[in-house]
């Protein structure tokens, strides 16, 4: 059978690894795909930097449009990242009738709807396994492996850099900036590391997971996003004393009123498997009506794990090249005319439990005032921890866990508590999820 010819856009960390793995595992890949697969042309900004060792037979150009317009190329591999020129290149590749494999989560989260509509019109595939959770085949698992199920929720640690930072803070008490620098040196962090720390990278991935789990359009702007830059070492310590770990979770959940899509630091009971996912590793917990809970764990970033997902997509596309376009696996898991609008819940309507930390005057009646405000807002307290003040200090730290309530109740209560004279500084609030399938 004729070999499948690839055009590679971007020879950075993941691009170079993709070229190397395709070369080193060529025989095994051909056995699986039923034909050989070869990169015939690649583009990188600095042609002088060349191709990785052993891949110098590949024609290297500086203009990526030369690759997408090359009539010999069957599949374009987009590993440039970012919005532009990636969007123009992908649209041009589709217009030229080429299939596209991409690892670009920002591009899919923000422009996926128009990309898939165009791909549908042209009868080509656009696949993006490497865009979510690096090497873990989570897209394929939800889209194909769980296709008999009604998906109820997806909760994941889907940013390796953020998880690495939280793990090092907990285990070694290391400084935030110092750990972030290490993640950058190891090639885990985004070009703009605020995407990792402020949850934008995780929100891109959650938006994609929500669409394939629930059959809804991609709606990045509707994802509530909160980063980890306001998680303090003392919260990590107090959470541990209460039997919890703090993880930066992306949560998508179907409720009777609509769909929750949210990324924020979350307390999880330490006995849950996902609470023990540490370092740069990622994990996604899927709650499905027939399978029940299932957990997918693996490397969420890094050159070879990401290349592993890119190449699995290439093999899938190679296998479907001769298949009738109508009978291919749909881009967003559901048939295009079956993608439905379901309301996305504003964060104020979302229900979770809460962890609160506040600094208060250590004198009679203070606790009573705080618990009265909680009662007025119909908030039930699950646990209270008060640290004995050190000698000579008149302020105490109170930690509280609440039962599950609507976010707006918590917002109102925090406003009232912050307004008390006896409360000093901010009331720190972190959401709590038990992840026990309720
Ligand atoms: N910056 C991302 C992370 C890389 O840390 O998870 C993989 O998308």
């Amino acid at each position: 059978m004729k070999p499948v010819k690839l055009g590679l856009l971007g020879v950075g960390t993941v691009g170079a690894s993709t070229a190397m793995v395709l070369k080193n595992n060529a025989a095994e890949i051909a056995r699986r795909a039923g034909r050989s697969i070869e990169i015939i042309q690649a583009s990188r900004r600095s042609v002088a930097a060349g191709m990785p060792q052993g891949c110098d037979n590949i024609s290297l150009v500086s203009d990526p449009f030369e690759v997408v317009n090359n009539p010999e190329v069957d599949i374009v591999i987009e590993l440039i990242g970012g919005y532009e020129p990636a969007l123009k290149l992908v649209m041009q590749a589709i217009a030229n009738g080429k299939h596209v494999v991409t690892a670009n989560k920002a591009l899919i989260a923000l422009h996926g709807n128009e990309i898939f509509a165009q791909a549908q019109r042209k009868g080509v595939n656009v696949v993006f396994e490497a865009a979510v959770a690096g090497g873990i085949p989570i897209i394929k698992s939800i889209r194909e492996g769980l296709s008999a199920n009604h998906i109820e929720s997806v909760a994941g640690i889907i940013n390796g850099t953020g998880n690495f930072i939280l793990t090092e803070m907990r285990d070694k008490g290391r400084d935030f900036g110092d750990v972030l620098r290490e993640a950058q040196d190891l090639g885990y962090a985004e070009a703009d590391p605020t995407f990792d720390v402020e949850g934008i990278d995780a929100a891109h991935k959650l938006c994609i997971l929500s669409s394939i789990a629930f059959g809804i359009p991609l709606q990045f702007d509707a994802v509530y996003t909160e980063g980890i830059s306001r998680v303090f070492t003392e919260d990590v310590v107090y959470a541990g004393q209460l039997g919890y770990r703090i993880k930066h979770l992306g949560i998508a959940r179907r409720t009777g009123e609509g769909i929750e899509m949210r990324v924020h630091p979350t307390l999880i009971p330490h006995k849950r498997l996902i609470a023990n996912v540490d370092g740069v590793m990622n994990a996604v917990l899927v709650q499905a009506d027939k399978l029940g809970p299932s957990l997918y764990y693996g490397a969420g970033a890094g050159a070879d794990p990401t290349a592993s997902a890119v190449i699995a997509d290439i093999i899938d596309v190679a296998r479907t090249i001769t298949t009738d376009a109508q009978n291919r696996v749909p881009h967003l898991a559901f048939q295009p005319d079956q993608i439905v609008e379901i309301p996305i819940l504003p964060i104020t309507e979302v229900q979770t439990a809460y962890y609160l930390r506040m600094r208060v005057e250590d004198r009679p009646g203070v606790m009573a005032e705080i618990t009265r405000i909680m009662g007025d807002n119909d908030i039930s307290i699950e646990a209270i921890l008060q640290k004995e003040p050190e000698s000579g200090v008149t302020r105490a730290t109170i930690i509280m866990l609440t039962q599950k309530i609507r976010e707006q109740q918590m917002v109102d209560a925090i406003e009232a508590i912050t307004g008390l004279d006896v409360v000093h500084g901010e009331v720190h609030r972190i959401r709590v999820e038990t992840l026990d399938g309720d």
Side-chain angles (χ1 to χ4, degrees), residues 360-364 366 386-389 393-396 422 424:
V360 301
E361 283 300 319
D362 185 30
R363 61 174 154 81
V366 171
Q386 181 181 337
K387 291 292 182 189
E388 198 179 351
V393 178
T394 59
R395 291 178 187 177
V422 292
H424 298 281

Side-chain angles (χ1 to χ4, degrees), residues 103 105 130-135 157-164 183 187-193 195-196 201-202 205 280-282 299-302 306:
K105 53 243 162 172
V132 181
I157 295 171
I158 44 181
N159 182 268
T161 303
N163 202 41
F164 183 56
Y188 300 147
E190 293 302 297
D192 176 352
F195 273 41
D196 297 298
D201 176 75
K205 295 167 179 168
V280 75
M281 301 308 273
N282 280 196
T306 311

Side-chain angles (χ1 to χ4, degrees), residues 41-104:
Q41 192 172 44
S43 72
R44 77 182 302 174
R45 225 176 289 155
S46 158
V47 172
M51 288 300 290
Q53 218 181 6
C55 300
D56 12 271
N57 59 321
I58 298 168
S59 133
L60 185 62
V61 295
S62 60
D63 179 10
F65 284 93
E66 208 177 306
V67 177
V68 300
N69 290 327
N70 182 340
E72 291 294 306
V73 167
D74 301 305
I75 309 175
V76 168
I77 319 301
E78 187 277 299
L79 300 176
I80 294 178
Y83 305 115
E84 287 295 357
L87 178 60
K88 279 196 193 75
L89 288 162
V90 165
M91 293 306 262
Q92 180 72 29
I94 296 170
N96 288 341
K98 299 183 193 310
H99 303 282
V100 175
V101 173
T102 178
N104 192 334

Side-chain angles (χ1 to χ4, degrees), residues 159-334:
N159 182 268
T161 303
N163 202 41
F164 183 56
I165 292 173
L166 288 177
T167 305
E168 292 288 301
M169 278 170 74
R170 188 194 71 217
D171 290 351
K172 303 184 188 151
R174 280 179 71 189
D175 167 53
F176 190 95
D178 173 40
V179 189
L180 177 58
R181 264 188 305 281
E182 189 181 340
Q184 286 174 294
D185 292 345
L186 291 167
Y188 300 147
E190 293 302 297
D192 176 352
T194 59
F195 273 41
D196 297 298
V197 171
E198 297 307 338
I200 299 155
D201 176 75
H204 287 144
K205 295 167 179 168
L206 185 76
C207 161
I208 298 171
L209 286 176
S210 306
S211 288
I212 59 159
F214 306 128
I216 57 172
L218 294 149
Q219 297 160 80
F220 173 70
D221 289 343
V223 182
Y224 172 81
T225 307
E226 202 178 292
I228 55 167
S229 54
R230 308 266 317 130
V231 175
F232 296 88
T233 308
E234 55 189 313
D235 294 315
V236 175
V237 172
Y238 290 138
Q241 291 173 3
L242 292 161
Y244 291 82
R245 297 253 166 102
I246 300 181
K247 292 290 177 190
H248 199 198
L249 278 196
I251 301 172
R253 182 178 286 137
R254 199 196 289 263
T255 76
E257 290 76 48
I259 285 173
E260 298 175 5
M261 290 200 287
R262 48 195 170 97
V263 170
H264 52 70
T266 313
L267 269 77
I268 312 172
H270 70 83
K271 58 181 185 236
R272 297 267 174 266
L273 274 176
I274 197 167
N276 295 282
V277 171
D278 288 334
V280 75
M281 301 308 273
N282 280 196
V284 182
L285 174 64
V286 182
Q287 187 72 38
D289 67 340
K290 298 304 163 206
L291 174 63
S294 54
L295 184 68
Y296 306 81
Y297 169 84
D304 282 357
T306 311
S308 160
V310 168
I311 294 170
D313 269 352
I314 295 171
I315 295 171
D316 264 359
V317 175
R319 284 179 178 141
T320 63
I321 267 176
T322 48
T323 311
D324 159 18
Q326 300 309 314
N327 291 310
R328 292 185 188 143
V329 178
H331 290 111
L332 284 179
F334 292 75

